[in-house]
Amino acid sequence: MTSGPKNIAILGSTGSIGRSTLDVVRACCDRLRIVGITGHANLELLSRQAQEFQPAVTVVSDPQKAATFQLDGCPETTVLSGQAGICELVTREDVDLVVSAIVGSAGLRGTWAAIEAGKTIALANKETLVTAGPLVMQLASDYGVDILPVDSEHSAIFQAMKSGRGKEVSRVVLTASGGPFRNHSAERLEYVTIEDALAHPTWDMGPKITVDSATMMNKALEIIEARWLFGLSIDKIDVVVHPQSIVHSMVEYCDGSILAQMSPPDMKLPIQYAMSYPERWEGPAEKIDLTQAFHCEFHPPDYERFPALLLGREVAERGGSCGAVLNAANESAVAGFLDGRLKFTEIVAACRDILNHHDYDPNPNLEQLIALDQWAREEILRWKP
Ligand code: NAD
Ligand code: MG
């Protein structure tokens, strides 16, 4: 690693996590420097980010949009395009840490290239681990690379794990806000609209993960993420509903002690911790105000109204090709819901069907997983209730 500020590349700088990462960089500008940013659709914002941070590289990942992209006011910035541009950015000698914040399995290639280049990964893109967890973790181990979680639950677990030894952990408990439909009856869930699903009670996030939170597929994906990131068997992973989103997750040790990490729901904290690790820095994240009364509730999840959770447990247990199929089916079904083609409850029903009839492979390689990802997306387009 170079001395002086850490050199950061952000994959997906125009998204919710990308923008919060830049807030942290602004607040910690003596410790962090932006070397590269990437964006896919909102190129006006990408230009403004480039003008502010003057990175060495700006990547327009949509090759069609790149053809007409003009970047003014950045004389030292090289503009690259497509996946090749992302790979060129993450393999640069001067990049120390890559924030993987593209949404969906579209983030897998860039994250993979960054690991192969030996870069520390701050991983927001959970779909990478859901799709190819065992291969990605093996690759990181082969290259001696740290994968530091940005997902708030996994960051909490990562922090609480520092209180004991791995073999002393009896289970991890992922907290879930429960989303906007936590108290909806099964019948009411049938009539959920796009606007309802996009209004999350505690977190301000991109549209895909916001819908995932409403179906609780987000928690399913996080069960799978925890399975691979921490090498835990499924019987050691639990979920509890905690609507206030203050306790971000917990680790229970064999003596019964539970260690929890608490902070207001603000992604700047886990993003910053992944970039400052192993240090802690003062930063821009909001702090809990203990002079005001507040309460924290915990409820068991309802697996009947939110069957996505069962899918998550099953896929984490079976592994192999299941993660790639579930993830891609869900991405495509969420897109179908947001286009008005699928009803809210059909998102999880369609994922269940496609998972059930896919050709299970216990040990797929990366190319097979990418092919399965494509297959599952097409199956969703053909799916009928
Ligand atoms: P978002 O939709 O706000 O942003 C997505 C980013 O990915 C944008 O920069 C977009 O330009 C880029 N992108 C989209 N499609 C792309 C493609 N095909 N190729 C390359 N780039 C593409 O999403 P977000 O909420 O910031 O989430 C990003 C990731 O972080 C997701 O994996 C999500 O699950 C995870 N995450 C987000 C939050 C949160 O609070 N937003 C919390 C935990 C984890
Ligand atoms: Mg999360």
Side-chain angles (χ1 to χ4, degrees):
M1 183 166 306
T2 47
S3 61
K6 256 186 216 179
N7 287 325
I8 310 290
I10 308 176
L11 309 186
S13 64
T14 55
S16 160
I17 292 289
R19 295 192 307 273
S20 294
T21 306
L22 289 173
D23 287 341
V24 173
V25 174
R26 272 186 204 99
C28 305
C29 55
D30 50 338
R31 302 178 187 267
L32 300 168
R33 181 168 57 205
I34 295 296
V35 174
I37 55 177
T38 85
H40 201 70
N42 188 349
L43 301 190
E44 203 209 311
L45 176 59
L46 188 69
S47 292
R48 275 191 274 123
Q49 292 178 340
Q51 284 151 4
E52 180 182 350
F53 290 92
Q54 297 291 325
V57 174
T58 294
V59 184
V60 179
S61 47
D62 181 341
Q64 264 147 22
K65 292 217 164 97
T68 55
F69 180 68
Q70 271 277 341
L71 183 59
D72 300 320
C74 303
E76 308 292 321
T77 303
T78 306
V79 177
L80 301 173
S81 73
Q83 275 296 336
I86 291 178
C87 291
E88 192 175 327
L89 166 60
V90 299
T91 52
R92 278 176 68 99
E93 184 105 17
D94 56 355
V95 169
D96 299 317
L97 180 144
V98 173
V99 179
S100 171
I102 287 172
V103 60
S105 62
L108 173 57
R109 286 279 192 201
T111 310
W112 188 277
I115 298 171
E116 281 185 327
K119 309 301 184 187
T120 304
I121 308 291
L123 187 75
N125 177 243
K126 65 192 85 185
E127 295 91 343
T128 280
L129 284 184
V130 175
T131 301
L135 298 183
V136 169
M137 295 312 290
Q138 184 60 51
L139 191 75
S141 151
D142 293 347
Y143 283 86
V145 159
D146 282 336
I147 299 190
L148 303 169
V150 166
D151 216 347
S152 53
E153 296 77 3
H154 304 72
S155 176
I157 292 168
F158 181 74
Q159 294 177 59
M161 287 258 192
K162 308 254 169 254
S163 282
R165 299 183 206 153
K167 64 175 190 213
E168 294 161 355
V169 170
S170 57
R171 60 176 181 147
V172 301
V173 183
L174 295 162
T175 52
S177 70
F181 311 134
R182 184 169 57 86
N183 295 320
H184 274 38
S185 65
E187 212 217 346
R188 243 183 115 191
L189 287 173
E190 298 282 335
Y191 301 102
V192 156
T193 66
I194 297 171
E195 293 70 37
D196 295 338
L198 286 178
H200 195 278
T202 50
W203 293 101
D204 179 14
M205 311 177 286
K208 189 259 179 186
I209 183 174
T210 303
V211 175
D212 285 349
S213 299
T215 56
M216 291 199 78
M217 185 63 86
N218 184 48
K219 215 47 56 182
L221 302 180
E222 290 183 353
I223 292 171
I224 304 163
E225 181 184 12
R227 157 90 182 87
W228 303 123
L229 190 62
F230 302 114
L232 294 165
S233 55
I234 186 65
D235 56 304
K236 291 194 163 182
I237 307 174
D238 277 339
V239 172
V240 68
V241 174
H242 164 50
Q244 293 77 18
S245 302
I246 289 171
V247 171
H248 295 299
S249 279
M250 313 178 237
V251 174
E252 186 184 79
Y253 287 93
C254 52
D255 58 2
S257 227
I258 290 186
L259 275 286
Q261 185 264 332
M262 296 168 71
S263 52
D266 179 350
M267 287 306 295
K268 290 195 284 297
L269 180 54
I271 292 169
Q272 177 179 309
Y273 185 63
M275 294 197 287
S276 71
Y277 181 80
E279 297 172 6
R280 286 184 186 272
W281 303 336
E282 289 209 8
E286 206 190 317
K287 295 188 170 74
I288 293 180
D289 179 1
L290 291 168
T291 65
Q292 302 297 315
F294 68 96
H295 71 288
C296 286
E297 295 161 69
F298 300 95
H299 307 278
D302 183 335
Y303 289 91
E304 266 174 43
R305 281 183 305 130
F306 295 101
L309 292 170
L310 293 172
L311 277 177
R313 299 198 75 82
E314 179 183 319
V315 168
E317 187 163 18
R318 292 182 77 201
S321 50
C322 292
V325 170
L326 175 65
N327 179 67
N330 178 58
E331 281 188 39
S332 181
V334 170
F337 169 68
L338 292 174
D339 284 351
R341 277 182 288 121
L342 295 183
K343 287 202 305 186
F344 180 75
T345 46
E346 288 171 352
I347 299 173
V348 175
C351 289
R352 157 60 69 200
D353 265 7
I354 284 151
L355 189 69
N356 283 357
H357 80 253
H358 95 280
D359 207 358
Y360 177 70
D361 182 339
N363 236 340
N365 62 30
L366 187 63
E367 296 318 313
Q368 287 169 311
L369 292 176
I370 290 168
L372 275 164
D373 174 293
Q374 193 53 40
W375 172 84
R377 285 168 201 272
E378 286 159 14
E379 285 297 292
I380 288 284
L381 295 177
R382 281 189 280 273
W383 186 82
K384 295 262 179 319

